[in-house]
Amino acid sequence: MLGSGTSTGVPRIGEDWGECDPKEPRNRRSRVSIIVESNAGQRILVDTSPDLRNQLLANGIEKVDAVFWTHDHADHCHGIDDLRVMRYDRSNPLPGYATTVTGERLKRRFDYIFAGQFGYPTLVELRDVKDARLVSGFSFDWVEMPHGPAKSTGFRFESDGRSIGYATDFSEITDAMVECLEGVDLLVCDCLRMRPHPTHAHYEMALEFGGRTNARAMVLTHLDKSMDYRTVADLTPSNVTVGYDGLEIEL
């Protein structure tokens, strides 16, 4: 787990920790992003948060084999330029995957990433998720999720007989989401705060989603400044982990 925080991170600028204890290091949260790694060492990066450079350095990640985007909101894509170093030792662009809508928006905002510019090579070859089912040794599936008035994409990755679901930035549980992520070994799930929110899952919704998908274990992510690590950890069932930056789980 590269980042576990909401769009403003924790603390917010101005040292605003909200209800989070600043003495608990797991309360210091950068914007959400994860790495999924196979036993063979192939890595998929999900989202390019604005904090990506520091996240990769902190976790010793020097290369990835593919990138997936959940949607185009700033906290999920504005670190995209840090993919440049991933291109240096490659003979071809890095494979990138997103839905049609997200891909079009990324291309408009970051055209040089996907088309090259001023003699610099194309960094990412963007592909539509609907056109692939196997990427860098992982099989995957995807589902569109309501994110208030927008849409986000949930992903299911499988490799080495294990499965992980990644569902962040959703505000409603749909039957399609449950079907896509049914029975995953690990579900990394949106959990902004304890109270309901118009564009994100809250604590009870996150637990409901874990129960409906029959996920064997869960990690909560996209946590805001009201979600003190120790306070929330003391509430959660034994199969639920409160996510934090740098968390590693081996399946």
Side-chain angles (χ1 to χ4, degrees):
M1 179 167 280
L2 300 182
S4 59
T6 187
S7 59
T8 55
V10 180
R12 289 183 180 179
I13 291 173
E15 287 297 301
D16 180 4
W17 289 87
E19 297 172 39
C20 291
D21 180 0
K23 296 179 181 178
E24 168 55 72
R26 286 167 291 193
N27 279 330
R28 185 174 289 274
R29 302 173 180 133
S30 59
R31 274 65 72 91
V32 290
S33 184
I34 63 167
I35 290 280
V36 184
E37 184 171 353
S38 70
N39 288 341
Q42 293 169 301
R43 295 180 182 132
I44 287 177
L45 169 66
V46 184
D47 284 338
T48 51
S49 90
D51 303 305
L52 185 60
R53 177 180 176 274
N54 287 335
Q55 293 171 340
L56 295 174
L57 287 170
N59 290 276
I61 305 294
E62 58 188 33
K63 77 175 191 69
V64 299
D65 297 286
V67 184
F68 284 71
W69 282 278
T70 59
H71 60 306
D72 69 309
H73 286 174
D75 54 323
H76 293 260
C77 69
H78 277 200
I80 195 169
D81 192 71
D82 289 325
L83 295 177
R84 283 188 299 135
V85 296
M86 305 289 184
R87 180 69 167 90
Y88 290 163
D89 60 351
R90 295 180 59 93
S91 60
N92 56 347
L94 193 66
Y97 296 86
T99 62
T100 302
V101 172
T102 295
E104 290 174 350
R105 290 173 175 170
L106 290 173
K107 286 180 179 179
R108 286 198 299 269
R109 201 177 306 167
F110 307 106
D111 59 333
Y112 74 98
I113 295 287
F114 306 105
Q117 197 174 77
F118 307 126
Y120 290 96
T122 298
L123 302 183
V124 176
E125 180 184 341
L126 193 59
R127 305 168 184 176
D128 199 302
V129 290
K130 72 175 186 296
D131 296 329
R133 282 294 178 267
L134 184 66
V135 175
S136 301
F138 292 87
S139 61
F140 79 93
D141 200 359
W142 62 279
V143 63
E144 282 199 333
M145 306 185 300
H147 180 24
K151 297 285 186 183
S152 180
T153 308
F155 294 109
R156 180 188 185 118
F157 300 104
E158 297 191 8
S159 181
D160 309 309
R162 296 291 184 266
S163 57
I164 178 173
Y166 190 63
T168 187
D169 292 57
F170 68 88
S171 53
E172 178 185 342
I173 301 170
T174 67
D175 291 342
M177 291 165 58
V178 173
E179 180 179 356
C180 179
L181 301 177
E182 171 69 32
V184 290
D185 292 298
L186 180 66
L187 175 61
V188 183
C189 186
D190 194 29
C191 185
L192 184 72
R193 65 189 191 187
M194 301 304 291
R195 295 181 292 111
H197 188 274
T199 62
H200 282 274
H202 62 295
Y203 181 76
E204 291 298 334
M205 183 182 289
L207 294 189
E208 178 189 350
F209 191 37
R212 288 181 61 180
T213 58
N214 295 306
R216 295 186 179 182
M218 284 184 66
V219 174
L220 306 180
T221 194
H222 215 297
L223 305 155
D224 78 359
K225 65 175 186 172
S226 69
M227 300 291 273
D228 176 68
Y229 174 84
R230 179 51 55 195
T231 301
V232 180
D234 288 345
L235 294 174
T236 57
S238 59
N239 68 328
V240 178
T241 299
V242 180
Y244 57 88
D245 291 22
L247 171 65
E248 294 184 21
I249 293 181
E250 184 173 350
L251 300 178

